[in-house]
Amino acid sequence: MTSNLKELIETQGYAIVEGVLDDAALAAIIDDYHQLLDRMAPQWYAKGLISSAYEGLPFDERLTAILGEAKKDVFSHMDIALSNETVHSDAGINASRAVYDLIRNERLLDKVEEVIGSEILSNPIQHVRIKPAESKVAAGMVNLTTETKWHQDQGVHRPNADDTEILTVWLAITDATIENGCLQVVPYSHLNGITEHCPFDQVLIPPHLLSGEALPVPIKAGDAIFMHRLTQHSSLVNVSDTLRWSFDLRYQPIGAPTGRDEFPSLIVRSRENPAQVQSYEEWRDSWHAARDYLAGLTDRPATHRWSADAPVCA
């Protein structure tokens, strides 16, 4: 039986799912990042990466101040996946228990199951996006802290996963508003297939190739946007004075290619064989092993299919 949620995603390319995370789940992930910043800020200061540890400031103000002067290496410690570029043996990644619990949140997985079935794999193409006011972010910072350009999620992984039913879950930790840079989509754009992308500072769709008008999708903290892998989407610029915080999670059926083979996936639910669901320790250690492996590579394969020399990119 096809759920109304699955039908809505297949029809218009996205759906809003309210109240995916309750107050306790939100508090747990927020507290995890507060503790992470408390641990890392003094280390960054000691290394000379920032001019102060900004102790005593509220989390939002402290992180904004740090990102106002810091480089990419700082934010990597907050992300939940490794870089698509060069990986060093001491590269940062937040493979914490709280992140694992977020990915495996039962209420979230119940909704995911309505769309892709009960044998669920967490795809490793995943990120945290913490976006201060754009005017306060250091030049050259990773796009996880700035405006995200137009793209399709199928366009930023390798072609071997093109037939995998990957579901994007854009999960709001703070309210996402038009002013602070909420997601925007082109409804029904998934019906037109893959669109050519250009690999500039981000892998992006040139504006003249968009399939229709952009629709902003503001949501409340704890809500989620479920998206088809071919839906064209981007974020607005954060022109507010507040921080906007979200996670990009992706789920797919167990056993299908992920499009990022060198990254570890995570079996999060299996009603056919519950014993194969992986523990936190297994998941954490798999990311650390991947970091060690990638740090030893001298020639890492491209993570997408596009060339900047394509005519549409001129």
Side-chain angles (χ1 to χ4, degrees):
M1 180 178 178
T2 302
S3 74
N4 291 333
L5 178 58
K6 180 179 178 68
E7 184 176 346
L8 187 58
I9 295 168
E10 291 177 345
T11 300
Q12 68 177 20
Y14 76 100
I16 297 172
V17 183
E18 297 180 345
V20 172
L21 298 184
D22 60 19
D23 289 344
L26 285 169
I29 196 66
I30 290 169
D31 182 63
D32 179 66
Y33 274 79
H34 284 213
Q35 293 184 43
L36 175 61
L37 194 59
D38 284 342
R39 290 195 307 273
M40 296 306 303
Q43 296 181 39
W44 296 330
Y45 173 61
K47 293 178 179 179
L49 298 176
I50 52 179
S51 62
S52 169
Y54 297 101
E55 295 173 346
L57 288 180
F59 177 83
D60 291 14
E61 295 179 23
R62 188 181 192 186
L63 182 59
T64 297
I66 289 171
L67 294 180
E69 60 177 278
K71 303 299 182 184
K72 292 181 181 180
D73 287 345
V74 166
F75 192 81
S76 68
H77 291 269
M78 297 194 161
D79 203 10
I80 59 174
L82 295 168
S83 171
N84 291 332
E85 302 169 358
T86 302
V87 173
H88 303 288
S89 59
D90 59 349
I93 180 174
N94 187 18
S96 69
R97 181 61 189 247
V99 170
Y100 172 84
D101 290 343
L102 179 72
I103 294 170
R104 288 202 59 223
N105 180 276
E106 289 295 323
R107 289 170 57 161
L108 171 56
L109 293 182
D110 287 345
K111 304 307 291 187
V112 171
E113 183 172 342
E114 291 183 28
V115 182
I116 65 172
S118 64
E119 307 308 293
I120 305 173
L121 186 82
S122 171
N123 182 289
I125 305 175
Q126 56 189 18
H127 296 288
V128 63
R129 297 183 187 271
I130 304 179
K131 296 178 181 277
E134 192 99 349
S135 61
K136 298 179 181 179
V137 177
M141 273 297 292
V142 64
N143 75 290
L144 298 175
T145 64
T146 60
E147 175 191 12
T148 303
K149 306 295 186 182
W150 286 104
H151 67 284
Q152 297 163 303
D153 284 346
Q154 185 167 314
V156 296
H157 62 61
R158 297 190 183 102
N160 70 321
D162 279 354
D163 293 330
T164 301
E165 188 182 3
I166 301 175
L167 172 70
T168 293
V169 175
W170 195 93
L171 192 57
I173 304 304
T174 61
D175 290 352
T177 68
I178 291 175
E179 290 74 24
N180 72 14
C182 70
L183 201 72
Q184 56 180 348
V185 302
V186 176
Y188 308 103
S189 55
H190 66 299
L191 301 175
N192 297 320
I194 191 75
T195 307
E196 194 156 1
H197 290 55
C198 297
F200 297 143
D201 58 325
Q202 301 178 33
V203 180
L204 58 89
I205 298 172
H208 66 278
L209 294 184
L210 293 179
S211 300
E213 294 295 322
L215 175 69
V217 190
I219 58 175
K220 296 292 187 181
D223 295 349
I225 303 169
F226 282 30
M227 279 190 298
H228 192 281
R229 63 190 183 277
L230 287 170
T231 297
Q232 296 172 349
H233 62 284
S234 67
S235 76
L236 295 168
V237 176
N238 185 353
V239 297
S240 75
D241 293 327
T242 62
L243 179 148
R244 199 222 74 197
W245 184 355
S246 63
F247 283 86
D248 300 350
L249 304 179
R250 294 177 178 85
Y251 298 93
Q252 66 174 74
I254 295 170
T258 66
R260 196 74 84 244
D261 301 334
E262 69 274 30
F263 285 175
S265 53
L266 170 68
I267 297 175
V268 292
R269 175 174 288 182
S270 174
R271 301 202 184 277
E272 295 179 3
N273 184 10
Q276 67 178 324
V277 173
Q278 293 162 277
S279 70
Y280 163 63
E281 290 77 14
E282 290 173 312
W283 174 76
R284 177 200 61 202
D285 293 348
S286 67
W287 275 106
H288 293 163
R291 179 175 58 191
D292 293 342
Y293 167 72
L294 291 170
L297 291 184
T298 56
D299 185 20
R300 185 173 172 184
T303 55
H304 57 77
R305 71 197 79 190
W306 311 109
S307 170
D309 296 329
V312 298
C313 302

